[in-house]
Amino acid sequence: MILINEDWCKGCQICITRCPVDALEESDKLNRRGVRPPKLKENNRCNFCRLCELLCPDLAITVIPDEETKEKPKKTLRPPIVSVRSIGRNIK
Amino acid sequence: MGEIKTAGELNKKYLREGMWPTIFCNGCGNGVVLEYTFWALEELGLDMDKVAFASGIGCSSRLPGYINADGLHTTHGRAIAFATGLKAANPDLTVIIFTGDGDCAGIGGNHFIHAARRNIDMTVIMINNFIYGMTGGQLAPTTPIGGIATTAPYGNIEHPFDLCVVAKALGASYVARWTVSHPYQPIKSIKEGIQKKGFSYIEFLAPCPTAYGRRNKLGDIQRLWEWYDKNTILIEDYERIMKYGDEKEKERAKKMIQIGVFQDVEKPEFFTEYQKLVERLQGNTITKTSSVKSKKMVVKK
Amino acid sequence: MKYKRDPKRIREVLGDKIQFILGDMACVYGGLLAGCSFFAGYPITPASEVAEGMARLLPRVGGTYIQMEDEIGSLAAVIGASWGGAKAMTATSGPGFSLMMENYGYAVMTETPCVIVNVQRTGPSTGQPTLGAQGDMMQVRWGTHGDFEAIALAPSTVQECMDLTIEAFNLAEKYRNPVCVMTDGEIGHLRERIVIPDEKELKIINRVPATIDKEKFIPFSNSQIQKNSKVPDFPTFGTGYHTYVTGLTHNIYGFPATDKQKDHQELVLRITTKITDDREKLTMVEKLYIDDAKIAVVTYGATARPAETAVEMARRKGIKVGMLRLKLVWPFPIKEIQNLASQVDKIVVPEMNLGQIVHPIREYSEGQCEVVNVPKVGGEMHLPHEIFKYLEGK
Amino acid sequence: MKKEIRICGFGGQGVILAGFIIGKAASVYMDYNAVQSQSYGPEARGGAARSEIVISDKKIGYPRPTSVDLLVAMSQEAFDTYRDDIRDDTVIIIDPDLVKKHSIGRPLYKIHAQQIAEELGNKIVTNIVMVGAATSIFGFLKPDAVRNAVMDSVPSRFKELNLKAFEKGLEAGKNAKPGL
């Protein structure tokens, strides 16, 4: 479950674009500022990684892991910027 | 970590009531840094009565206003100097400074340099958005070459200022740089910085969609955030490439901004050393500045 | 380290009760006696001896001395220390004082008690570093931007350098305002005898710390102030009040209210009237032969010394001359000047500048008598006869 | 009663300390009012330096000498620069080895202060020798008071040397006769 403090949302959509499992989308309703806060998609693979919660610049998202979920909440690690495998492949 | 598990509860604990939402623009990185700081404080479990925040002038300097703790919102560039006095008066306080690139590298550069040199126990969180955001997008000491600002309308020709290199050279105890786009390493760094007895400098590359992004073809918030991922390189990766990589890789890496922990050392801290000085002086019998009393006499006129 | 004022240790460190010391050093003694536990400064002639004295003595009484990177940082650190609960001071001279102007205004706006010793010299710019002058008497009053009231004292002797530094701390704590001790290169570099007051002779005022329930406390309002207090209680950082202190126009809770006319007006009126309401209580003057005087010298600081000699010379010649010395120059003692102007035919104002305090004297004498500007610039005190010649005639 | 004293010499010779000692002796140990001031600045080392003391039984207004009662000169340049306001009865003491051109048509006291100090092993105490000589020649200052002030003002490891210098100066002053 994610809770959105809708009036705090400024509509940057960082949560939507950064979600590793593409679980969020714009909602239909407009908030006080005239932006559409995010919501979980009908069918989503949210694994409660909490990235959206941490990245939201306006502290508007709270992720609450569902009680019945068997899957353990995961921590998202920083993806390597340069693939380590590619490094030094030309060493003679 | 304490009881608090969700952002909602965290915000209730650390945000000053009634102050949120912020004055920051849509997509601004300042709020993210604040959230990271809250998580770090929460994981450390500090008593917020004993944590004080200081800031200068600029967007980032408004952050202490949102935190439910003592906050000193000072004059432009001077936060570190104010914090020096605050720490001297009460060394039990954990002092955290929020500052921006203009505030810290521009007008406040000298205070930054000397606090790092003295190794005063404080944590400086510098939010670098490459621009003077609050005043509307003027050239900052950190603006990349070619960057457009209202006061560099034809592209910046100045060499940008890398404060991490400066802090490292001055021997600051802890120096790190991260982007706001990934949460875990920065939270860890803030934690380590606060725990470090000495001067800690943590820089965040944070987007300013309004004043910087818009003028530099990065107006789209998503693209701006992506820019940070594409243009930064972990210091470990950078070093590996410099050692083993081919010329092309090296060229590419050199153009990127290095991120990571640049320095993490133990070094005598100013007020700890000062305390030793006081104990040394007070332990000794005080050598009198004036005459020995028994010898004193007043000769009658 | 938390500082606790220890009278025994202070006396031990200061040494003999009667000493022959520099004016600058007397400011150090005054600070220590008042309970100053933090000094931040930057070397500048002729004020460096204050920093040197503090560096030598402060750690011995358990206080903290730090040499900052400039004067801007010095006053910043002093204000920071004050919010940390310390009695704090700095010392500087003209150019350094100019650099402090922004944070001086910050201290006024945030109601931060602190003391600035200004061992004045002349300018513009670097001017004459090694010589004394009264170059900043107007800068202290009008130097920072916006509306504010200054509290400034002007010692004429080495003893007063100590006494008025103690007084400066008392006023700073009482009114929660920066207080300046406007000494000068002449007095600062003069050695004279001082008598250190005993502990029981000392009157020490400390700020009132906030004790009200943390939920109910309003940090920047007069609504909760204690009886006999002029200012809100002080919510020292680290005591759990979670106060937000800003140089921006703020409301009674301390939060920015930059676009609110009413909040700004209320704030600025509160921080100025706390001082102007007490103008007469604050007035500190010394009078010499004023009762029957037809000519008066109005003077302050170093200039009072040759002026006094000149007045004595005139009295010996039977001229009815008196002297009014302002020990506290700001807030300006309006009533004293009005009264004097209605009594005498002429007011003579010798100053080691081209004329600064002569202006408010002229303003408040309201045309009742002639006001004569007797300037002397170039780093030398007036010779007594240079003042005396204005006392002859009429 | 008012006494005005000027001590002058090279920067670094200790003229300011000499003035301080005399001022302290008068104000702390003889209970007079005294003020001491000095020239200070870029010329303090290398050029002429001076230290001035005004002693009075009344409150001291103007803190500088207006007419000097005692002039002590320890360098030619200082002697030439700072003797413009002397009176006929001003007591003048010089070190003839340092102020070679001192024939000004009136008698003055000559104390080989630096020579005496060197005989004691360190010319650093030249100023204290002069203070001793000035004490006995000028006659106004009580030797005990000045001795106390000397002992207060020097580091403990040099106390003995300074005391010797003072006594030697005192003695030299007693035996000195004014000459042209």
Side-chain angles (χ1 to χ4, degrees):
Chain A
M1 182 176 65
I2 70 168
L3 293 175
I4 310 286
N5 191 335
E6 287 174 3
D7 279 341
W8 288 8
C9 177
K10 288 174 183 158
C12 67
Q13 301 196 351
I14 285 162
C15 49
I16 297 173
T17 54
R18 290 261 153 180
C19 176
V21 293
D22 198 18
L24 292 163
E25 63 182 0
E26 269 191 347
S27 58
D28 318 328
K29 51 185 170 183
L30 289 172
N31 76 357
R32 219 174 42 178
R33 293 165 191 271
V35 302
R36 297 182 199 282
K39 71 170 176 56
L40 274 175
K41 287 179 179 169
E42 196 80 18
N43 287 315
N44 65 72
R45 293 188 292 123
C46 175
N47 58 3
F48 314 108
C49 76
R50 306 173 73 175
L51 191 63
C52 55
E53 184 179 13
L54 287 165
L55 289 181
C56 174
D58 293 288
L59 282 56
I61 305 176
T62 298
V63 177
I64 298 169
D66 292 336
E67 291 290 326
E68 60 270 26
T69 312
K70 296 276 184 294
E71 224 176 323
K72 265 192 175 172
K74 268 195 253 171
K75 270 196 175 184
T76 306
L77 292 172
R78 183 170 215 290
I81 295 152
V82 177
S83 164
V84 177
R85 268 166 298 174
S86 70
I87 296 170
R89 66 181 166 203
N90 293 336
I91 301 171
K92 285 171 188 145
Chain B
M1 211 189 285
E3 300 268 296
I4 291 168
K5 292 269 161 50
T6 67
E9 288 162 297
L10 190 78
N11 297 346
K12 205 170 258 176
K13 176 173 173 189
Y14 291 98
L15 278 182
R16 223 183 251 283
E17 216 177 322
M19 294 297 282
W20 208 260
T22 60
I23 59 160
F24 305 131
C25 307
N26 185 19
C28 172
N30 279 325
V32 186
V33 177
L34 186 64
E35 173 104 22
Y36 293 171
T37 308
F38 287 168
W39 281 111
L41 287 167
E42 182 58 25
E43 290 189 19
L44 288 170
L46 293 176
D47 173 4
M48 288 303 280
D49 285 358
K50 299 292 172 205
V51 184
F53 295 85
S55 64
I57 296 293
C59 296
S60 58
S61 296
R62 286 301 189 93
L63 287 178
Y66 301 112
I67 308 169
N68 187 14
D70 290 322
L72 201 56
H73 178 223
T74 71
T75 47
H76 197 16
R78 318 299 171 197
I80 293 173
F82 278 85
T84 300
L86 186 58
K87 186 76 187 174
N90 188 351
D92 299 342
L93 290 176
T94 297
V95 178
I96 299 170
I97 292 138
F98 286 109
T99 179
D101 46 327
D103 199 53
C104 188
I107 189 167
N110 205 26
H111 306 301
F112 171 79
I113 286 170
H114 290 280
R117 176 181 64 80
R118 293 183 187 110
N119 203 30
I120 291 175
D121 183 25
M122 53 173 70
T123 305
V124 176
I125 298 175
M126 195 273 253
I127 301 169
N128 182 358
N129 57 9
F130 301 145
I131 205 88
Y132 282 81
M134 186 163 264
T135 45
Q138 294 79 15
L139 182 72
T142 46
T143 307
I145 290 184
I148 307 286
T150 58
T151 50
Y154 311 112
N156 175 30
I157 55 167
E158 290 181 20
H159 301 283
F161 198 164
D162 187 339
L163 278 193
C164 282
V165 174
V166 177
K168 198 179 158 187
L170 289 164
S173 287
Y174 189 89
V175 182
R177 172 162 52 216
W178 299 105
T179 74
V180 292
S181 56
H182 293 87
Y184 296 108
Q185 296 94 331
I187 292 174
K188 186 163 172 270
S189 256
I190 296 173
K191 258 171 70 181
E192 286 171 351
I194 292 171
Q195 281 175 309
K196 178 68 73 179
K197 190 89 184 154
F199 189 85
S200 307
Y201 172 72
I202 300 148
E203 178 176 326
F204 281 97
L205 300 177
C208 176
T210 310
Y212 185 77
R214 214 157 36 91
R215 289 192 185 85
N216 290 279
K217 298 183 184 141
L218 294 162
D220 178 64
I221 294 168
Q222 274 63 262
R223 276 177 57 199
L224 187 48
W225 277 63
E226 275 165 28
W227 188 91
Y228 287 102
D229 292 343
K230 288 187 185 140
N231 290 279
T232 52
I233 180 166
L234 276 168
I235 176 77
E236 291 84 356
D237 288 346
Y238 178 83
E239 281 167 0
R240 216 172 293 143
I241 289 173
M242 286 301 128
K243 220 169 166 185
Y244 306 115
D246 61 23
E247 287 312 309
K248 227 173 129 192
E249 284 169 332
K250 283 184 184 171
E251 274 313 301
R252 202 175 127 225
K254 275 181 190 164
K255 284 187 187 136
M256 297 170 109
I257 301 169
Q258 293 165 37
I259 55 171
V261 178
F262 299 102
Q263 188 148 279
D264 185 356
V265 293
E266 299 300 324
K267 197 183 162 186
E269 189 268 335
F270 180 83
F271 290 115
T272 316
E273 294 306 299
Y274 194 89
Q275 180 61 41
K276 285 185 199 160
L277 172 74
V278 169
E279 278 159 18
R280 176 155 61 86
L281 289 171
Q282 296 198 336
N284 289 352
T285 42
I286 290 156
T287 37
K288 283 174 54 59
T289 49
S290 212
S291 68
V292 181
K293 279 224 171 67
S294 58
K295 263 190 148 179
K296 194 171 144 187
M297 51 166 287
V298 172
V299 182
K300 284 276 168 255
K301 271 182 266 181
Chain C
M1 79 215 80
K2 282 288 186 64
Y3 180 85
K4 197 171 176 305
R5 187 176 175 278
D6 178 355
K8 204 171 141 250
R9 192 175 281 283
I10 291 170
R11 291 214 179 236
E12 216 171 30
V13 165
L14 296 189
D16 295 345
K17 185 174 170 66
I18 298 173
Q19 293 185 32
F20 187 69
I21 60 166
L22 273 184
D24 280 355
M25 202 60 200
C27 293
V28 174
Y29 284 23
L32 294 188
L33 286 167
C36 171
S37 66
F38 181 80
F39 183 98
Y42 186 81
I44 186 168
T45 306
S48 299
E49 287 87 349
V50 184
E52 289 167 357
M54 281 294 185
R56 190 158 58 81
L57 302 184
L58 251 186
R60 287 166 53 181
V61 300
T64 308
Y65 167 86
I66 183 165
Q67 181 170 315
M68 292 298 285
E69 47 278 3
D70 55 29
E71 286 87 349
I72 303 172
S74 300
L75 187 53
V78 161
I79 296 167
S82 188
W83 278 98
K87 283 188 172 181
M89 76 184 248
T90 182
T92 189
S93 188
F97 198 55
S98 296
L99 286 179
M100 285 180 184
M101 276 303 126
E102 190 191 10
N103 286 338
Y104 177 55
Y106 182 86
V108 173
M109 190 61 150
T110 55
E111 299 166 74
T112 309
C114 59
V115 171
I116 305 166
V117 172
N118 182 351
V119 189
Q120 294 172 93
R121 59 195 237 199
T122 189
S125 189
T126 315
Q128 295 179 294
T130 60
L131 303 173
Q134 295 169 325
D136 305 329
M137 296 312 296
M138 279 298 180
Q139 189 179 200
V140 66
R141 175 65 189 89
W142 302 107
T144 197
H145 51 283
D147 299 296
F148 72 104
E149 284 293 329
I151 305 179
L153 300 144
S156 296
T157 64
V158 173
Q159 178 78 39
E160 268 187 2
C161 284
M162 177 174 68
D163 296 347
L164 294 186
T165 304
I166 299 171
E167 186 63 26
F169 269 101
N170 286 346
L171 296 176
E173 297 285 312
K174 184 173 173 189
Y175 291 95
R176 279 187 63 179
N177 210 65
V179 175
C180 297
V181 181
M182 305 300 283
T183 162
D184 57 70
E186 293 282 351
I187 302 297
H189 278 170
L190 202 67
R191 283 192 181 82
E192 254 182 320
R193 176 174 48 193
I194 58 153
V195 181
I196 299 171
D198 290 330
E199 189 62 20
K200 59 178 184 295
E201 296 170 283
L202 274 180
K203 194 183 126 215
I204 305 285
I205 297 174
N206 293 314
R207 66 192 78 168
V208 183
T211 48
I212 302 169
D213 184 357
K214 289 179 179 105
E215 301 300 313
K216 290 183 190 141
F217 182 60
I218 305 172
F220 297 97
S221 152
N222 274 1
S223 63
Q224 296 174 330
I225 63 174
Q226 319 250 352
K227 215 173 144 192
N228 303 325
S229 183
K230 298 294 292 181
V231 293
D233 294 354
F234 194 85
T236 310
F237 276 24
T239 57
Y241 279 89
H242 296 192
T243 313
Y244 186 59
V245 178
T246 176
L248 291 169
T249 288
H250 43 274
N251 59 21
I252 56 172
Y253 303 102
F255 301 124
T258 50
D259 50 359
K260 308 240 171 27
Q261 186 274 336
K262 202 167 148 278
D263 281 327
H264 182 83
Q265 182 174 311
E266 259 176 35
L267 171 65
V268 167
L269 284 177
R270 186 170 60 75
I271 62 178
T272 51
T273 53
K274 69 181 175 187
I275 294 164
T276 50
D277 283 354
D278 276 7
R279 189 187 299 277
E280 275 155 50
K281 265 195 225 162
L282 281 162
T283 297
M284 286 168 75
V285 293
E286 186 188 75
K287 291 176 184 173
L288 182 70
Y289 308 125
I290 282 291
D291 290 348
D292 63 343
K294 285 288 143 207
I295 298 172
V297 183
V298 177
T299 179
Y300 59 90
T303 334
R305 303 188 68 128
E308 188 174 339
T309 306
V311 168
E312 296 285 359
M313 281 160 70
R315 278 280 163 178
R316 279 200 293 276
K317 294 204 168 181
I319 309 168
K320 289 194 169 164
V321 178
M323 183 172 112
L324 181 74
R325 178 164 75 88
L326 313 180
K327 287 163 84 173
L328 181 132
V329 178
W330 302 110
F332 197 72
I334 296 173
K335 199 153 245 174
E336 290 287 345
I337 296 300
Q338 283 170 336
N339 291 346
L340 188 66
S342 67
Q343 176 194 329
V344 299
D345 302 325
K346 180 160 91 170
I347 291 177
V348 175
V349 189
E351 287 183 90
M352 290 169 72
N353 53 47
L354 287 181
Q356 296 193 9
I357 298 303
V358 69
H359 293 293
I361 292 173
R362 202 167 273 155
E363 181 183 349
Y364 293 112
S365 59
E366 292 157 355
Q368 295 182 89
C369 70
E370 189 191 352
V371 176
V372 184
N373 176 18
V374 183
K376 174 125 182 195
V377 292
E380 278 174 20
M381 208 182 266
H382 297 72
L383 290 164
H385 71 80
E386 288 172 336
I387 299 170
F388 175 73
K389 68 180 180 211
Y390 289 87
L391 308 180
E392 289 177 307
K394 270 199 199 176
Chain D
M1 195 289 305
K2 196 173 185 184
K3 299 284 177 202
E4 303 184 330
I5 300 169
R6 176 178 299 144
I7 304 171
C8 55
F10 306 122
Q13 261 181 331
V15 293
I16 290 168
L17 180 63
F20 169 71
I21 287 168
I22 289 173
K24 180 156 192 179
S27 78
V28 175
Y29 294 115
M30 291 172 70
D31 219 14
Y32 283 109
N33 290 313
V35 295
Q36 182 259 330
S37 57
Q38 61 246 326
S39 71
Y40 181 103
E43 79 283 6
R45 297 219 170 237
R50 82 185 144 159
S51 178
E52 293 171 332
I53 310 104
V54 177
I55 303 166
S56 174
D57 53 0
K58 296 197 190 68
K59 194 175 164 192
I60 299 169
Y62 185 65
R64 299 271 154 80
T66 44
S67 131
V68 176
D69 297 292
L70 169 65
L71 174 72
V72 179
M74 286 158 50
S75 83
Q76 188 71 50
E77 195 191 341
F79 181 65
D80 297 341
T81 314
Y82 295 128
R83 66 180 156 83
D84 45 0
D85 54 356
I86 54 171
R87 306 185 307 258
D88 289 346
D89 61 343
T90 300
V91 178
I92 304 176
I93 307 172
I94 57 149
D95 184 331
D97 302 326
L98 301 170
V99 186
K100 293 225 162 70
K101 285 180 252 170
H102 52 260
S103 304
I104 51 165
R106 55 159 293 180
L108 32 74
Y109 293 88
K110 298 166 195 172
I111 301 292
H112 294 274
Q114 184 162 325
Q115 197 186 314
I116 294 169
E118 277 167 354
E119 279 163 16
L120 287 171
N122 198 338
K123 77 170 188 185
I124 203 163
V125 291
T126 306
N127 60 338
I128 304 298
V129 176
M130 262 313 184
V131 167
T135 305
S136 45
I137 293 169
F138 193 47
F140 169 76
L141 297 159
K142 302 274 183 254
D144 284 347
V146 184
R147 192 179 290 112
N148 277 345
V150 170
M151 297 310 281
D152 285 353
S153 317
V154 297
S156 50
R157 65 182 192 283
F158 292 124
K159 274 196 174 19
E160 203 182 320
L161 176 65
N162 278 282
L163 190 61
K164 267 190 212 156
F166 177 72
E167 301 300 347
K168 284 274 183 201
L170 208 58
E171 196 186 305
K174 267 179 207 153
N175 302 328
K177 296 276 177 294
L180 284 169

